[in-house]
Structures are given as C-alpha cells and as structure tokens.
Amino acid sequence: MVQKYQSPVCVYKYPFELVMAAYEKRFPTCPQIPVFLGSEVLRESRSADGAVHLVERSCRLRVEAPRLLRKIAGVEHVVFVQRNVLNWKERTLLIEAHNETFASRVVVKENCSYTVHPENEDWTCFEQSASLDIRSFFGFESALEKIAMKQYTANVKRGKEVIEHYLNELISQGTSHIPRWTPAPVPEEDTHSQAGLRDPGSLEVCRPGSAQGPAPEMVSIDGDKLDVDYIERCLGHLTPMQESCLIQLRHWLQETHKGKIPKDEHILRFLRARDFHLDRAREMLCQSLSWRKQHQVDLLLQTWRPPALLEEFYAGGWHYQDVDGRPLYILRLGHMDTKGLMKAVGEEVLLQHVLCVNEEGQKRCEGNTKQFGRPISSWTCLVDLEGLSLRHLWRPGIKALLRMIEVVEDNYPETLGRLLIVRAPRIFPVLWTLISPFINENTRQKFLTYSGSNYQGPGGLVDYLDKEVIPDFLGGECLCNVPEGGLVPKSLYLTEEDQEHKDQLQQWRETYQSASVLRGAPHEVAVEILERESVITWDFDILQGDVMFTLYHTKQAPKLGPREPGARAGGQLTDKGWALGADYSRVEGPLICREGESVQGSHVTQWPGIYLLQWQMHSTPGHMACNLPGVEDVLMALHSPGPRCKLLYYYEVLASEDFRGSMSSLESCTSRFSQLSATTSSSGQSHSSSLVSR
C-alpha cells in the first residue's frame, strides 16, 4: 500500500531571496538534522541570464532502524538524489527527490516548493508532499513503513526549525535584505543555449503534478490550501501526519464531492473518530454527508421550531461555558418526563430537537474559537440526575435514547469534550448497563460521575466550571434558565388517530406483552435466576382496573396450570398447600397500582432460584389473599364472567457480571463514584425499588 504525506502551507514572513539564502546554508551538511550525513553536487547549470539555476545532489541519510533490520539490509545509510530548480525571475524553487538505495524494493518520491505568498510578496510559502511504496523488503514491509513514516514526519517538523535557525543566523550577521534578481545583458550567441535551458519541457519535470512527479500528492495551486498558522490558530496542534490526513481528505472532497464542502473542523472530527485512518474516516464522513443531505440537516437551525410543549417540558439548555471555553449544555434528566414527552410529541420530534442541539453546539464552538482566540471544537454537557427513577427505564424510551446515541455518534463524532454527571442515584447503574454498550469507548472516557454531594468539593464541578457559572440548583450563585421539566399532563398526549403515533404504539406493543387479570386468576411470569446479584427489571402500564403487584421467590420450579391463550408468559403456582415463608417468600410488594398508572421497578436478587412476577386483581383489604391461589380458584375464575384487569408489561434480567461491569467502568472514569458503588455493590445486600407514575 502506498503511504502518502501532504504538508500544509508553511509561511515564512521573509522575502523569497532571504529564505533561499537560508536554504543554501543547509548544504553540504546540516548539524541540525543529525540523520543528514552530507551531500555532494552531481550536476549544476545556469541559464545564460542567470535566472534559472539547476542543481542535482546526492544526499546520504543515516538509517535509524533496529539493528537487526540494518544487519539484514546490509546498509547503514541510504542515498537520495535531489533535483532543485531555482527560478529567480519567477521567484520559485521546485525540489524533486527520489531514493537510489533499494530502488527496486522501495520507492520514495518527494516534491517540495518554495513560492511567493499570493497576498504578500515579501513572504514565502513552502509546501511538501511525499509517497512511500514498499514493494518488498525481506518480510519487514510493515515495520519499515512505520519506521520510515515516523522518521519522515519528524524530519518535516525539524525542517521548518532549520530554515528559521538559518534565517535568524543571517539576520544576526547583518544580512536582512537581499536584492531581487534583475536580468543581465545576454550575448546574441548565447541566446540559443539559454532558450534550450529555459525550454518549458526541460523544466516541466520539476513541477509538482508533472508526468514524472506524483501528482495525487500535491494540493492544487489555488485558494483552498491550508497553512500551518491557520491550523494552529483554528484547529489546534496536529502532528505532521495528522495535518497530512486532513489536507488529503479535504482535497479529495473538493475533487469528488458534489455540494457543500464541510468545514475543516468538521472534517477533523471524523479523522479523530477513526484515529486518523484516512480510508475509514472518509467512509464515515461520506455516509454522514449523505445522511445530512437526505434529512436537510444543514437547514435545521433555520427551519426547526420546537413545539411549545417541548420548550416547556424539555429540561435542557445552553449555559455559558466551562473553564476551557467549551460551550456548556445543561440537561436536568432526572426532572424530565421522557415517557410523557415521547407520548406527547413522538420520537421523531425528540430526535429533531437533539439534532438541533448538536448543530447549535457546533455553531457555538466556532463562536467561542473566535472569542477566546484558541481552537474549541467540542462542548461540555452537565447532566443532573436528581429525581432519576425507574420511570426513566421505560423500555421504548430506552430504545429511542439508544437510537439517538447512534445517530449522534455516527454524525457528530468528537463533539463531546466532557460529560459531568452529578447527583447520580442508586438506580443509575441499571440505566448505565443498558446504554453503555452503545457508547463509543473514546466517548465513555470523557464521563465523570458524582453521586450525592461529591460534586461540591475539590475535584468536583469547581475543577471544570468557574464558580460564577455553577447553576443555583447545584449550590452555585448563577441563575440557570434551563426549564425545570416536570410531568407532562396526559391530556397533552398524542391521540391514536395520529398515524405517526399509531406506528409508535405498534412498536411499543411489539416490545410489551399484554395480559388480562381475572379475580382469583392472577397473571404470573416465572423468571429463573442462576446467579445471585442479578438484576430483574420490570415496566408495566395498567390499562384497565386496579392491580396488586408482588414479586415472590421459591427454590422449586412451579407447576404449569391452566393457561389462558395469549395471556400467560410464565407458570402458575398451583399447590394450595404452599405456605408463605416456608415454601416461598415475598421479596417485593405488595404494590397497589391504579388504572392508568405506569410502574417501573428493579430487584437485585439475593439467591438463585425461581422469581415470580405476579399481578392480581386488587381487592379490599379484608379480601386480600395471603397465599397464592390454587387450581380450583384459577378454574373458577377462567369459567366465570366477571371484571377483568388489563395491562402491558415488559421485564428483563441483567446478568450479575454485566451489572457489576457497569459499576467497574464507571469507577474507572472517576474516583468520585465510590459512594454510589458502595451503596449498590454491598455483598449479600438486595436492592429493589418501584416507582408509580400517575
């Protein structure tokens, strides 16, 4: 595979003639570049008027490679041939170099140019490109490629420092100006030889992009070049190879992409997301550009107007910036009724709003870059989880969240600089277990989580936010205008007549199972647990009637009794002789759930065995059953007309290792998670909770 390198434009704020004098001081040796052992002139010629000076040199470079590789190759240095064409009249120096050593196995080509800055004739521009093609090298092709590119990029960086060193030396010696070239009188008999030397064909081989030069490596000579100062000022520090990847991908887009070319900051995010692997970044970026065009994302900030309901109940908004100048977005997730919002505006509207937040974030980064005079390409998100409960584990809501995470990860990579999670409750590890596998590892490393009030002291928010911008609801003095959220009234929910909502209802019903509960015939689901400290989670909506929910544990498997078609997903404990506390035990409940309520809960198991989720019709206190119903009760209920309760339910078991793994990954992010960890991982302790949403 051919490796390519393309440099940004380096600008020397000195006239071309002075830069050329500094360049010549690099020969025949250059102590500032230790690998450059020396050079000798092979051929030299000048035009009759002195305008064009051609020099060919043989340059020796020391091989900096492992001793074994040098021994196998049998060389301690390699030879390159360099051809320089200096045109004083046009004020250009074109350099072409290739290797002679191992030329049949390794092909190295390099093109460089010094030219006058297009906007300031007293400044000089330098550009450089190279290609490396290792065809065969004793089985060490991959190792040699890494060594060669590493050394090359190191020497590229050193090259600028060398020129600046000699420029300073010239100036310190009193040479700060060199007159421009002026033509000398040319004798008539020399006209023919001068024309021969200045024939365009004889110089064409020296120009970047010519037949003998590796044209694809060169950036087109127009106004679309990137210079080093611009990169440092607007994009941040990049290694030479990272600069090269950015320039190559940008140039490729200019040549092939039809439509608006993304900004350099945008291209750079995709390169970072793929660790500057050019082909992978190009593929990811192309897919994103296609997605943006399909969904008209470029027009989103001009066309999107969130519904009034979303503005009132979506508890998120922008709030100044962090200590690094990153825009700060605050999300009070614990105060937000995600289930109510989805039922009131639908998943697509929420997704549009999330995209709008990301678009606004990029715009604010550009503004902060100009305001603070340094590159700012990402923002900080502060998530307040006070009030987070099992209601937030509503399965369709989790699925919608995972979809949004996927869309953002694919199309807005490397936009999150830091995520500060504060006031994380005990239920948070369950939510983290569900969503963390879908978050990129690089993104997860940016998460900092605080439980309780740990965020208030040293190592907390004060390390990342100036005291004057810490929100008032987190103990700061700054008034925060982010909406407080709250429960969305059910009167604002979308109706089933809305076609989009019907589609969503269908999706939700594919996730949830329906059940009917008759008097004396509860609906039960048996869950087998093989490992203690597994986590059982449940989520159900009461569509009709009042229901009492209980969770039981037994060591013996229940016998399956009569089944109502389509209703029972598990079994029915039918042995009327079982006694509570002896044959089985109640580990949750009883919890009375009224018609229209939504209930979420979880239970960390203490023992292996069978856990039974049971829903039975709610009776008055005097008629509440103490034991599980028997066969006779079930048969009578199934064949007797009477009231019926209806519900939709979903349950899931999180394996112990997954749950504990989520705790470990969070602990690795920050030492401030210890309090939450201790609360939820105590050996032998069962944690459970349920929430009823009205």
Side-chain angles (χ1 to χ4, degrees):
M1 178 179 175
V2 179
Q3 283 278 4
K4 299 179 181 180
Y5 170 80
Q6 173 65 58
S7 77
V9 178
C10 176
V11 178
Y12 298 103
K13 296 183 179 180
Y14 298 95
F16 176 80
E17 290 73 20
L18 192 62
V19 173
M20 289 301 96
Y23 175 78
E24 286 299 323
K25 291 175 91 45
R26 294 178 53 175
F27 302 101
T29 60
C30 184
Q32 286 76 21
I33 305 180
V35 298
F36 188 78
L37 300 177
S39 64
E40 59 178 316
V41 175
L42 301 178
R43 184 165 69 94
E44 184 173 10
S45 62
R46 296 178 185 270
S47 62
D49 63 355
V52 180
H53 183 197
L54 185 149
V55 180
E56 284 192 4
R57 292 186 179 91
S58 175
C59 304
R60 292 178 296 113
L61 280 76
R62 184 172 69 246
V63 177
E64 289 194 345
R67 186 171 180 273
L68 175 62
L69 192 58
R70 296 202 307 270
K71 186 174 182 181
I72 292 174
V75 297
E76 292 294 327
H77 69 269
V78 294
V79 176
F80 277 76
V81 173
Q82 182 193 75
R83 187 174 190 269
N84 291 7
V85 178
L86 174 60
N87 190 321
W88 291 109
K89 181 179 180 180
E90 301 294 335
R91 302 180 80 194
T92 62
L93 171 62
L94 305 177
I95 306 168
E96 186 182 82
H98 65 274
N99 64 305
E100 281 200 337
T101 308
F102 299 119
S104 62
R105 295 177 177 272
V106 180
V107 178
V108 180
K109 293 183 179 180
E110 181 182 49
N111 285 285
C112 304
S113 66
Y114 288 88
T115 58
V116 177
H117 193 285
E119 297 177 3
N120 190 329
E121 63 178 12
D122 289 330
W123 291 357
T124 305
C125 297
F126 172 73
E127 287 183 82
Q128 184 174 13
S129 67
S131 65
L132 170 66
D133 184 8
I134 303 178
R135 297 170 180 173
S136 64
F137 202 79
F138 314 107
F140 288 90
E141 291 81 7
S142 178
L144 181 63
E145 180 181 280
K146 293 179 181 178
I147 293 171
M149 294 308 294
K150 182 179 180 180
Q151 289 186 7
Y152 184 80
T153 54
N155 291 334
V156 165
K157 183 179 179 181
R158 189 66 178 150
K160 179 184 178 183
E161 297 172 356
V162 170
I163 293 295
E164 290 177 340
H165 168 80
Y166 286 125
L167 281 168
N168 292 330
E169 185 177 280
L170 285 169
I171 294 172
S172 66
Q173 293 172 353
T175 304
S176 58
H177 175 74
I178 297 177
R180 295 186 186 180
W181 176 87
T182 54
V186 181
E188 185 176 345
E189 59 270 21
D190 293 339
T191 303
H192 179 72
S193 61
Q194 176 184 344
L197 180 59
R198 298 185 64 183
D199 178 78
S202 66
L203 297 180
E204 185 66 27
V205 296
C206 306
R207 296 184 181 275
S210 66
Q212 297 186 23
E217 291 90 301
M218 295 303 295
V219 174
S220 58
I221 303 177
D222 51 32
D224 293 324
K225 297 177 182 178
L226 299 179
D227 65 75
V228 174
D229 291 339
Y230 161 77
I231 291 176
E232 286 286 344
R233 185 176 67 255
C234 299
L235 303 179
H237 174 72
L238 301 174
T239 67
M241 284 307 298
Q242 291 172 346
E243 293 173 345
S244 175
C245 289
L246 173 61
I247 293 169
Q248 290 184 64
L249 183 51
R250 187 176 188 264
H251 184 50
W252 180 85
L253 286 170
Q254 290 169 342
E255 289 191 336
T256 62
H257 183 64
K258 296 179 181 179
K260 184 179 178 182
I261 301 297
K263 296 180 180 180
D264 300 320
E265 298 92 328
H266 194 79
I267 299 173
L268 191 56
R269 289 187 179 108
F270 286 84
L271 285 165
R272 284 176 172 146
R274 291 296 178 263
D275 296 322
F276 286 88
H277 190 291
L278 193 58
D279 292 336
R280 294 175 186 170
R282 178 164 50 208
E283 180 182 1
M284 183 184 184
L285 178 56
C286 287
Q287 290 176 353
S288 179
L289 291 175
S290 176
W291 171 83
R292 293 182 69 89
K293 183 177 180 180
Q294 178 183 353
H295 297 281
Q296 297 290 300
V297 179
D298 288 337
L299 303 175
L300 197 58
L301 289 180
Q302 291 77 37
T303 59
W304 169 250
R305 294 295 178 269
L309 184 148
L310 202 59
E311 290 184 325
E312 180 180 356
F313 291 99
Y314 189 90
W318 295 99
H319 180 79
Y320 300 100
Q321 54 270 329
D322 69 4
V323 293
D324 298 317
R326 295 189 183 104
L328 175 63
Y329 189 82
I330 294 180
L331 183 64
R332 303 187 71 178
L333 182 60
H335 285 213
M336 192 157 63
D337 181 8
T338 53
K339 181 174 183 177
L341 283 173
M342 278 194 63
K343 288 196 170 186
V345 299
E347 181 179 329
E348 291 303 319
V349 171
L350 282 175
L351 176 59
Q352 286 287 97
H353 190 65
V354 169
L355 297 181
C356 194
V357 169
N358 280 271
E359 289 293 308
E360 176 68 21
Q362 292 186 132
K363 183 178 177 181
R364 286 175 177 263
C365 285
E366 294 175 14
N368 284 21
T369 295
K370 296 176 182 178
Q371 178 182 348
F372 296 107
R374 62 179 183 273
I376 296 172
S377 60
S378 59
W379 57 85
T380 291
C381 185
L382 171 62
V383 181
D384 178 20
L385 294 184
E386 183 191 48
L388 185 78
S389 64
L390 294 164
R391 179 180 176 85
H392 294 85
L393 299 183
W394 184 54
R395 193 63 184 185
I398 294 294
K399 284 190 174 182
L401 175 61
L402 295 179
R403 179 193 173 200
M404 293 173 192
I405 290 174
E406 182 181 13
V407 171
V408 170
E409 291 260 293
D410 289 345
N411 299 286
Y412 300 93
E414 297 298 316
T415 53
L416 180 66
R418 184 179 295 121
L419 183 72
L420 302 171
I421 301 174
V422 298
R423 301 200 282 193
R426 291 187 301 172
I427 192 60
F428 178 58
V430 179
L431 177 63
W432 178 253
T433 301
L434 295 173
I435 67 172
S436 60
F438 299 89
I439 300 176
N440 181 274
E441 178 61 30
N442 291 338
T443 304
R444 273 186 275 170
Q445 296 302 317
K446 302 171 184 177
F447 285 34
L448 293 166
T449 307
Y450 302 87
S451 62
S453 59
N454 285 344
Y455 66 89
Q456 294 178 343
L461 293 185
V462 292
D463 284 10
Y464 307 103
L465 305 179
D466 291 327
K467 290 183 178 179
E468 54 267 25
V469 305
I470 295 178
D472 50 356
F473 60 84
L474 292 178
E477 299 179 356
C478 185
L479 179 63
C480 182
N481 293 321
V482 173
E484 293 186 3
L487 287 176
V488 178
K490 292 188 177 181
S491 59
L492 299 178
Y493 287 5
L494 293 172
T495 63
E496 292 195 27
E497 284 70 25
D498 180 42
Q499 185 58 47
E500 178 187 358
H501 189 49
K502 280 186 177 180
D503 294 341
Q504 286 193 344
L505 286 175
Q506 180 62 32
Q507 293 176 7
W508 297 347
R509 284 169 178 164
E510 288 175 358
T511 302
Y512 285 71
Q513 299 184 58
S514 61
S516 294
V517 180
L518 305 177
R519 189 176 302 280
H523 181 83
E524 298 174 351
V525 176
V527 181
E528 185 177 9
I529 298 296
L530 302 177
E531 183 181 11
R532 64 184 298 272
E533 294 192 340
S534 297
V535 182
I536 305 173
T537 67
W538 55 84
D539 178 6
F540 58 88
D541 288 338
I542 309 300
L543 304 180
Q544 177 182 322
D546 296 341
V547 172
M548 185 170 65
F549 173 74
T550 314
L551 179 67
Y552 294 100
H553 171 263
T554 178
K555 295 181 180 179
Q556 52 185 311
K559 299 177 182 179
L560 295 180
R563 297 172 61 93
E564 180 184 2
R568 300 181 190 279
Q572 173 77 52
L573 286 174
T574 58
D575 192 338
K576 199 171 183 180
W578 281 13
L580 185 63
D583 301 294
Y584 65 99
S585 60
R586 182 189 296 125
V587 292
E588 283 286 340
L591 178 68
I592 299 173
C593 311
R594 305 295 181 181
E595 181 176 318
E597 290 181 345
S598 177
V599 181
Q600 292 81 35
S602 69
H603 178 85
V604 181
T605 62
Q606 277 190 281
W607 318 280
I610 303 298
Y611 285 80
L612 194 71
L613 286 74
Q614 183 196 79
W615 294 268
Q616 62 177 313
M617 185 175 290
H618 173 56
S619 304
T620 59
H623 293 86
M624 289 179 65
C626 295
N627 293 320
L628 295 167
V631 175
E632 296 83 356
D633 301 315
V634 174
L635 292 175
M636 183 179 297
L638 289 175
H639 294 90
S640 301
R644 178 187 298 251
C645 297
K646 293 183 180 179
L647 63 120
L648 290 174
Y649 70 91
Y650 175 87
Y651 74 94
E652 184 174 10
V653 177
L654 305 178
S656 175
E657 59 181 10
D658 294 337
F659 182 65
R660 297 305 167 205
S662 73
M663 297 298 305
S664 299
S665 63
L666 283 170
E667 288 170 352
S668 67
C669 293
T670 172
S671 62
R672 292 286 169 181
F673 203 73
S674 57
Q675 180 178 337
L676 177 58
S677 174
T679 304
T680 57
S681 60
S682 300
S683 177
Q685 181 180 357
S686 172
H687 159 63
S688 60
S689 59
S690 293
L691 177 82
V692 180
S693 303
R694 303 184 184 278

